[in-house]
C-alpha cells in the first residue's frame, strides 16, 4: 500500500508540473529601446552633456540641428568646424557606443535663419552627409535636401524614424516690423498659403512615409511643432503648413506620431490638443552647450521648462499589455528634470 501511495504521488506531481494548454500563455518581456536627443552644440565649447548622454547608453542618439555653429559660406571653414566637433570626448564616446542620426538646422546648414535661398546648400549637404556617414546608397543622398527615414525593429515591433529637412525648401519667414504689436520677437505669422516649410517633394514623400506600417513614429524636426507661437523660428510661423502636417496624419491614419525638436536653447515637452486627432507631443531638447536669457510662455507645455543645458531621452517599451513612451529631459545632475509617461493607446486613433 505504501509503494502504491508513493507511485500515485509521483504521478500527481509530474502531471501538475506540465504546462496547462488551456491557460493563457505567459507574457514575454517587453521590447525596449532608448533613444536620446539634443541640439545646439558649439564645437568650441566643452560638451559635458554629450558625455552624460554616452554614460546613459542610448541605442540611438539623434542630433536635431545646430550640431555645429558653422555659419559660413566657406566650405573649408564648415569642414574645419565639423572636425573640431568630431574631436569632442562626448561625441567620440557616443559614436563608439550608439547609433548616431542627424538632421540640420540653420547654423550647420550654413547661415543664421536661412532657408531655400542659401546659395551653398548643395555643398553643405555633401559635407553633412559625409560627416554623419550616411551610406552612399541612402535615399537621403539621391534627392535635394537631407530628409529621409528608416524602420527600426524593436523585438516584434516597428519603430519608424522620420528625419525632416526644415531648411532646404523653406521660404523666407516674415520679419516683424517694430510697429507690429500683434506679434513678438523676430517673426510675424505668415498667412500666405503659397509659402512652404517643407516643399512640395518633401510633403509628397512624407505622406507616403506615414502610410508605412509602424507601431510608433518619431518625426525629427529642427524647429518646434507643438508649442505656442512665440515669434522665433518654428512651425507656428507658417500655420497653414502646421495644419497640413496635422491633416496628413489624419488622412493617413498614422498612429503613434511624436515630434522631437531643438533650436530654442531651452528644453520642454509640449502637448498639442487637436480636433479629430490624438494629442501631438513634441519633446524639445536644447541646448547641449547653449542657453537663452528669456523663456517664452507656452500654454501647451507639460511640466517644467528647463533653462539649463540638457539632453532628451525617450525610453520606449512595447508589449501586449501596455506599450508606452517615457519622455525625459536630463541636465548636468544626471537626473531627469522632466519626466512624463504616455501610453501608445493615447496617441492612436484607436484610443480616441
Amino acid at each position: 500500500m505504501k509503494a502504491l501511495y508513493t507511485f500515485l504521488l509521483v504521478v500527481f506531481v509530474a502531471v501538475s508540473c506540465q504546462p496547462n494548454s488551456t491557460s493563457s500563455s505567459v507574457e514575454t518581456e517587453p521590447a525596449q529601446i532608448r533613444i536620446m536627443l539634443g541640439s545646439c552644440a558649439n564645437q568650441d565649447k566643452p560638451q559635458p552633456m554629450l558625455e552624460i548622454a554616452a554614460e546613459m547608453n542610448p541605442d540611438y542618439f539623434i542630433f536635431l540641428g545646430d550640431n555645429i555653429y558653422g555659419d559660413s559660406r566657406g566650405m573649408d571653414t564648415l569642414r574645419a568646424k565639423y572636425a573640431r566637433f568630431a574631436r569632442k570626448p562626448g561625441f567620440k564616446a557616443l559614436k563608439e557606443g550608439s547609433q548616431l542620426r542627424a538632421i540640420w538646422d540653420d547654423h550647420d546648414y550654413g547661415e543664421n535663419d536661412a532657408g531655400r535661398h542659401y546659395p551653398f546648400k548643395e555643398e553643405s549637404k555633401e559635407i553633412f552627409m559625409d560627416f554623419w556617414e550616411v551610406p552612399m546608397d541612402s535615399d537621403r543622398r539621391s534627392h535635394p535636401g537631407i530628409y529621409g527615414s528608416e524602420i527600426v525593429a524593436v523585438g516584434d515591433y516597428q519603430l519608424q524614424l522620420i528625419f525632416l529637412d526644415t531648411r532646404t525648401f523653406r521660404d523666407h519667414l516674415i520679419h516683424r516690423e517694430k510697429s507690429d504689436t500683434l506679434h513678438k520677437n523676430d517673426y510675424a505669422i505668415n498667412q500666405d498659403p503659397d509659402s512652404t516649410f517643407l516643399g512640395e517633394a518633401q510633403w509628397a514623400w512624407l505622406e507616403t512615409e506615414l502610410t508605412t506600417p509602424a507601431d510608433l513614429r518619431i518625426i525629427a524636426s529642427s524647429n518646434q511643432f507643438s508649442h505656442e507661437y512665440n515669434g522665433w523660428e518654428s512651425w507656428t510661423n507658417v500655420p497653414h503648413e502646421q495644419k497640413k502636417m496635422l491633416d496628413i496624419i489624419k488622412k493617413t491614419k498614422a498612429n503613434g506620431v511624436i515630434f522631437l525638436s531643438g533650436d530654442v536653447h531651452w528644453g520642454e515637452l509640449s502637448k498639442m490638443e487637436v480636433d479629430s486627432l490624438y494629442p501631438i507631443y513634441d519633446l524639445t531638447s536644447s541646448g547641449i552647450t547653449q542657453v537663452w536669457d528669456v523663456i517664452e510662455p507656452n500654454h501647451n507645455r507639460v511640466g517644467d521648462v528647463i533653462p539649463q543645458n540638457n539632453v532628451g531621452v525617450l525610453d520606449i517599451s512595447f508589449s501586449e499589455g501596455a506599450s508606452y513612451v517615457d519622455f525625459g529631459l536630463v541636465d548636468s545632475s544626471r537626473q531627469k528634470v522632466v519626466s512624463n509617461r504616455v501610453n501608445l493607446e493615447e496617441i492612436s486613433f484607436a484610443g480616441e
Side-chain angles (χ1 to χ4, degrees):
M1 179 64 68
K2 183 177 180 180
L4 177 61
Y5 173 79
T6 302
F7 170 77
L8 292 174
L9 180 63
V10 170
V11 171
F12 173 79
V13 171
V15 171
S16 298
C17 293
Q18 294 299 311
N20 186 348
S21 60
T22 62
S23 65
S24 59
S25 60
V26 176
E27 186 174 344
T28 58
E29 288 295 316
Q32 298 178 327
I33 186 171
R34 169 170 285 182
I35 295 176
M36 296 191 69
L37 52 136
S39 65
C40 307
N42 189 308
Q43 68 281 350
D44 296 320
K45 294 182 179 181
Q47 299 184 1
M49 290 310 307
L50 291 188
E51 297 176 41
I52 291 171
E55 292 171 6
M56 294 179 66
N57 299 312
D59 298 287
Y60 285 79
F61 191 99
I62 301 176
F63 287 88
L64 292 165
D66 294 344
N67 308 310
I68 61 166
Y69 281 72
D71 297 289
S72 176
R73 294 192 173 194
M75 296 301 103
D76 288 341
T77 298
L78 203 59
R79 288 189 188 92
K81 290 182 176 182
Y82 273 114
R84 292 206 290 278
F85 179 50
R87 292 193 291 269
K88 294 294 182 182
F91 178 81
K92 291 195 289 187
L94 271 175
K95 188 174 182 180
E96 289 173 2
S98 307
Q99 297 267 3
L100 302 187
R101 299 294 185 268
I103 57 175
W104 61 17
D105 201 28
D106 51 341
H107 295 294
D108 38 354
Y109 181 55
E111 203 161 78
N112 184 54
D113 290 1
R116 66 183 180 88
H117 298 289
Y118 177 62
F120 296 97
K121 56 189 176 184
E122 293 180 5
E123 294 87 345
S124 180
K125 173 187 174 176
E126 182 178 357
I127 295 170
F128 175 95
M129 291 288 165
D130 290 345
F131 178 81
W132 293 106
E133 298 178 358
V134 177
M136 295 303 296
D137 61 352
S138 170
D139 288 343
R140 298 182 76 184
R141 288 185 180 264
S142 66
H143 56 67
I146 64 162
Y147 62 85
S149 72
E150 63 183 275
I151 293 289
V152 178
V154 185
D156 294 330
Y157 299 85
Q158 302 293 307
L159 171 64
Q160 185 180 31
L161 303 178
I162 296 175
F163 308 107
L164 297 185
D165 185 340
T166 61
R167 293 292 161 185
T168 302
F169 313 99
R170 199 206 69 193
D171 287 321
H172 283 314
L173 299 178
I174 296 179
H175 283 271
R176 183 181 71 89
E177 301 293 337
K178 290 183 179 180
S179 59
D180 179 0
T181 58
L182 295 176
H183 299 100
K184 59 192 298 188
N185 293 319
D186 282 355
Y187 295 109
I189 294 175
N190 184 351
Q191 302 289 2
D192 180 359
D194 293 328
S195 60
T196 185
F197 213 79
L198 298 185
E200 184 178 349
Q202 187 174 188
W203 273 121
W205 165 84
L206 178 61
E207 183 170 340
T208 299
E209 286 299 312
L210 289 177
T211 65
T212 302
D215 298 287
L216 180 67
R217 307 170 197 274
I218 294 174
I219 298 182
S221 165
S222 67
N223 295 143
Q224 289 185 292
F225 185 85
S226 295
H227 70 130
E228 179 185 15
Y229 163 80
N230 60 32
W232 300 121
E233 283 193 300
S234 91
W235 284 82
T236 60
N237 296 320
V238 194
H240 57 275
E241 290 286 90
Q242 188 183 43
K243 181 179 182 297
K244 185 172 183 175
M245 176 70 76
L246 299 173
D247 288 344
I248 286 177
I249 296 172
K250 293 177 186 179
K251 177 182 177 181
T252 58
K253 290 290 184 180
N255 285 325
V257 173
I258 61 176
F259 281 79
L260 307 180
S261 60
D263 179 52
V264 291
H265 300 182
W266 67 78
E268 62 184 348
L269 176 63
S270 300
K271 177 184 179 181
M272 177 189 287
E273 300 284 359
V274 186
D275 290 339
S276 304
L277 180 61
Y278 51 81
I280 301 296
Y281 286 87
D282 177 5
L283 182 63
T284 301
S285 178
S286 177
I288 293 169
T289 65
Q290 307 303 102
V291 294
W292 197 250
D293 294 334
V294 180
I295 306 298
E296 297 292 334
N298 175 14
H299 288 100
N300 295 343
R301 184 179 296 140
V302 179
D304 295 329
V305 66
I306 307 304
Q308 64 267 30
N309 294 140
N310 62 86
V311 288
V313 57
L314 300 177
D315 284 317
I316 302 166
S317 178
F318 294 108
S319 69
E320 292 183 9
S323 298
Y324 61 83
V325 180
D326 277 340
F327 292 93
L329 290 168
V330 176
D331 68 3
S332 60
S333 71
R334 292 173 166 76
Q335 302 299 314
K336 283 187 179 181
V337 287
V338 165
S339 183
N340 192 75
R341 176 170 292 188
V342 175
N343 291 324
L344 261 59
E345 185 181 55
E346 180 188 343
I347 52 175
S348 71
F349 288 94
E352 289 181 327

